[in-house]
Amino acid sequence: MEVSEVDEIIFQHILRIALFPSLISATEKKQFAHLEAQNPFAFDFGYELSQRLLFLLPNSVPQPDYLSLYGLAALGHHNNPKVKLLMIADRQSIGATNQMIINQHIKGVTCSLVIDSNFVKKNFQKNSYDLVIVNSERPELIGNGFKISLAFTGILNDNQLKELETITKDYYFKNLIPELLVGNNVIFINNHTSDFFSVLISGLKKLIAEKAISKNEGQMILEREREGNQLLINGVSIPHVTIPNTSDNYRILAIVPKEKPILNNENVYLLLIVLVGQMQIDKSSIFSYLFHLLKNKNYQSIIDLRNRKDVIKLLTDI
């Protein structure tokens, strides 16, 4: 969606709520909470815009959650991370159609098609492809000998396409996170307070001292968290900020406190800081991955974080 279109629908929304204010239902609140955990930057936008509208129009009811939906619309369809996909099919026509669908609809995935599975077995080079899928009426025959991520017959339907999209994203982040949590990017702090911001400040100071982040980045993270609307998933706090530079990279840092701070009446066992480069087109997928990973995690695996390996296992054990 073009920015000018978003401007117009936000303007129309403001006019509507000024004339016909309405309340958000309990069901909608749950739906918004689910969306916010996976798209925090869009909801940061909605919150900030609502505060500015309240300043300009003190008697208005700007509804930040609804404004956040327009932020989601502005972000549009994201590019997914680069994943090399091999599809083994038993019919050229059906296989070629599915290859086209995958390459067109799952951005960032490069899908190669092979019809003769025997040829693949003879010439398959280890690590040539990240994932293997099978398009066949008899997947157990042509997929034998490979670790198959998805098997399906005929033309991919919408549900299968979404499942494949999730599989490719999970693969990407599962392999990316260990690369990010290296060196001084994982720290353990010996704090003696349960005040969340005191713990966050202590952790940021140590990360700055270890040169894992800059002083300016630490200040940006702290300011963002103090604005409110913090992201907390199953005992894991996720401070997040967009870094205004030319990078399109993700950066992740972990702070494990000795004494567990309290945020929104909930114990925090891990502070996972996510920094996203301003040029990164896809600012939401990493949060979607973390949300689905952490929301149903066994609490014990979150409580017992004794070293870097435990942190990485928590964030990659799908």
Side-chain angles (χ1 to χ4, degrees):
M1 185 178 290
E2 296 294 329
V3 174
S4 58
E5 294 179 70
V6 177
D7 291 342
E8 178 61 27
I9 60 176
I10 289 176
F11 178 69
Q12 293 298 326
H13 173 81
I14 294 168
L15 290 180
R16 277 197 310 276
I17 60 175
L19 294 171
F20 309 105
S22 61
L23 297 175
I24 299 175
S25 70
T27 299
E28 288 174 327
K29 284 182 180 179
K30 289 182 181 179
Q31 292 170 338
F32 281 129
H34 187 91
L35 279 172
E36 181 181 359
Q38 300 176 75
N39 304 277
F41 287 117
F43 279 77
D44 290 348
F45 160 79
Y47 177 77
E48 184 176 344
L49 180 57
S50 70
Q51 294 303 300
R52 295 188 183 187
L53 288 172
L54 278 174
F55 178 77
L56 296 171
L57 305 166
N59 295 322
S60 67
V61 186
Q63 298 175 322
D65 288 333
Y66 283 115
L67 292 173
S68 300
L69 298 181
Y70 302 126
L72 279 173
L75 290 174
H77 184 76
H78 303 308
N79 286 327
N80 291 334
K82 292 290 183 185
V83 175
K84 292 181 292 183
L85 191 66
L86 174 66
M87 178 166 58
I88 307 172
D90 53 11
R91 295 177 61 186
Q92 177 71 43
S93 57
I94 301 295
T97 301
N98 284 319
Q99 180 190 27
M100 179 187 68
I101 291 171
I102 292 168
N103 285 330
Q104 286 183 352
H105 290 86
I106 306 182
K107 302 299 180 183
V109 170
T110 303
C111 180
S112 300
L113 172 65
V114 172
I115 303 301
D116 185 352
S117 61
N118 289 322
F119 174 82
V120 177
K121 290 172 186 175
K122 291 177 181 177
N123 297 276
F124 189 83
Q125 295 179 3
K126 192 175 181 181
N127 299 326
S128 292
Y129 299 97
D130 299 314
L131 299 169
V132 178
I133 62 175
V134 170
N135 177 203
S136 170
E137 298 289 339
R138 300 288 303 277
E140 71 279 2
L141 294 181
I142 68 170
N144 186 33
F146 297 99
K147 182 180 178 181
I148 305 302
S149 298
L150 180 69
F152 60 97
T153 61
I155 303 297
L156 276 165
N157 60 39
D158 288 343
N159 289 335
Q160 290 166 333
L161 197 60
K162 287 178 182 177
E163 182 181 358
L164 183 58
E165 185 175 18
T166 299
I167 289 169
T168 57
K169 285 183 180 181
D170 285 353
Y171 174 87
Y172 176 76
F173 287 115
K174 183 175 180 177
N175 285 274
L176 177 66
I177 285 173
E179 296 177 7
L180 299 179
L181 291 176
V182 296
N184 299 324
N185 286 0
V186 180
I187 61 168
F188 291 74
I189 59 172
N190 190 23
N191 60 298
H192 300 286
T193 176
S194 61
D195 179 74
F196 175 78
F197 283 101
S198 296
V199 173
L200 176 60
I201 290 169
S202 296
L204 291 174
K205 284 182 177 178
K206 187 169 182 179
L207 288 170
I208 292 168
E210 299 284 357
K211 300 190 184 304
I213 59 172
S214 69
K215 203 169 184 178
N216 184 51
E217 289 170 342
Q219 189 62 35
M220 289 175 64
I221 294 163
L222 184 59
E223 288 176 358
R224 162 63 194 84
E225 289 302 286
R226 280 181 167 159
E227 288 176 2
N229 208 32
Q230 296 96 349
L231 181 57
L232 181 62
I233 306 171
N234 204 13
V236 179
S237 168
I238 308 182
H240 54 278
V241 68
T242 303
I243 301 300
N245 56 27
T246 57
S247 171
D248 64 352
N249 295 331
Y250 297 105
R251 289 163 59 200
I252 298 179
L253 307 103
I255 302 172
V256 183
K258 180 179 180 181
E259 183 174 336
K260 309 312 173 189
I262 297 173
L263 178 63
N264 300 333
N265 298 316
E266 185 177 339
N267 285 334
V268 175
Y269 300 96
L270 173 66
L271 288 79
L272 190 68
I273 298 172
V274 179
L275 296 88
V276 182
Q278 193 172 39
M279 300 303 290
Q280 172 59 249
I281 296 172
D282 183 359
K283 292 182 172 64
S284 297
S285 287
I286 191 166
F287 297 101
S288 180
Y289 169 83
L290 291 171
F291 173 75
H292 289 291
L293 176 75
L294 294 171
K295 68 174 181 175
N296 295 318
K297 274 285 183 182
N298 184 301
Y299 225 57
Q300 202 62 39
S301 66
I302 299 174
I303 294 173
D304 294 335
L305 297 174
R306 293 163 294 181
N307 50 50
R308 182 193 310 275
K309 287 183 179 179
D310 288 343
V311 175
I312 292 174
K313 183 179 179 182
L314 172 69
L315 300 174
T316 57
D317 192 5
I318 301 173

